[in-house]
């Protein structure tokens, strides 16, 4: 085994050992040390639904921060037919694009946006926002996002 191979092997062993720890570790709040039991945690994102200020279900949404900066906008390649929201009833739409409480709608349809040759600049995106077109209500359901399409009845039962 040459010197480089020995160094790589030693580095690998060091990384493995550094990542190992006893399952009871101390977490400090700056004042006291409290032993905690670490267990694997699985997080399953939940499906969300939203209402909007008008008929914008065929429009691409982006999300603005309170100061007006864009915090979410998709790349054209991220937009597919599966990105369009699905109506679930009582004015609520199943979120399939990444819409949040601060989302607004652009004048681009899903097909138009998906056909763009590149992601528009933030200033170009802002120029395409429809004035007043926004998410008016937003709600998280108890249905896992991966099961939402097959659980529309369960989602409908949760609507206010």
């Amino acid at each position: 085994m040459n010197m480089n191979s020995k160094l790589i092997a030693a580095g690998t062993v060091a990384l493995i050992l550094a990542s190992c720890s006893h399952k009871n570790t101390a977490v400090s709040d700056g004042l006291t040390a409290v032993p905690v039991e670490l267990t694997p945690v699985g997080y399953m994102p939940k499906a969300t639904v939203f209402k909007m200020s008008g008929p914008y279900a065929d429009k691409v949404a982006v999300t603005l921060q309170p100061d007006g900066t864009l915090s979410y906008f998709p790349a054209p390649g991220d937009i597919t037919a599966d990105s369009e929201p699905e109506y679930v009833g009582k004015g609520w739409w199943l979120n399939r694009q990444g819409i949040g409480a601060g989302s607004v709608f652009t004048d681009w349809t899903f097909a138009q946006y998906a056909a763009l040759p590149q992601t528009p600049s933030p200033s170009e995106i802002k120029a395409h926002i429809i004035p007043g077109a926004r998410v008016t209500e937003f709600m998280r359901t108890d249905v896992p996002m991966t099961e939402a399409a097959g659980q529309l009845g369960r989602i409908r039962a949760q609507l206010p």
Side-chain angles (χ1 to χ4, degrees), residues 31-106:
L31 301 174
T32 59
V34 179
V36 293
E37 180 80 16
L38 297 179
T39 57
V41 177
Y43 174 72
M44 180 63 67
K46 301 300 183 184
T48 57
V49 293
F50 65 94
K51 286 185 175 184
M52 53 195 141
S53 60
Y56 307 114
D58 66 332
K59 305 296 183 187
V60 172
V62 297
T63 303
L64 295 174
Q65 293 296 319
D67 68 359
T69 59
L70 284 167
S71 62
Y72 162 79
F73 54 93
D78 294 338
I79 298 298
T80 67
D82 290 336
S83 302
E84 292 187 40
E86 185 169 344
Y87 188 70
V88 292
K90 300 181 182 178
W92 292 92
W93 294 81
L94 177 63
N95 183 3
R96 297 182 348 159
Q97 187 198 332
I99 290 173
S103 291
V104 295
F105 297 91
T106 66

Side-chain angles (χ1 to χ4, degrees), residues 46-50 86-90 92-96 139-160:
K46 301 300 183 184
T48 57
V49 293
F50 65 94
E86 185 169 344
Y87 188 70
V88 292
K90 300 181 182 178
W92 292 92
W93 294 81
L94 177 63
N95 183 3
R96 297 182 348 159
M139 184 181 89
R140 185 170 318 280
T141 72
D142 67 4
V143 176
M145 191 176 356
T146 57
E147 298 174 17
Q151 296 286 329
L152 295 179
R154 189 168 147 200
I155 290 172
R156 282 185 194 101
Q158 295 176 42
L159 300 176

Side-chain angles (χ1 to χ4, degrees), residues 1-13:
M1 188 181 270
N2 67 30
M3 182 57 100
N4 284 341
S5 296
K6 289 179 183 179
L7 287 173
I8 291 171
T12 302
V13 169

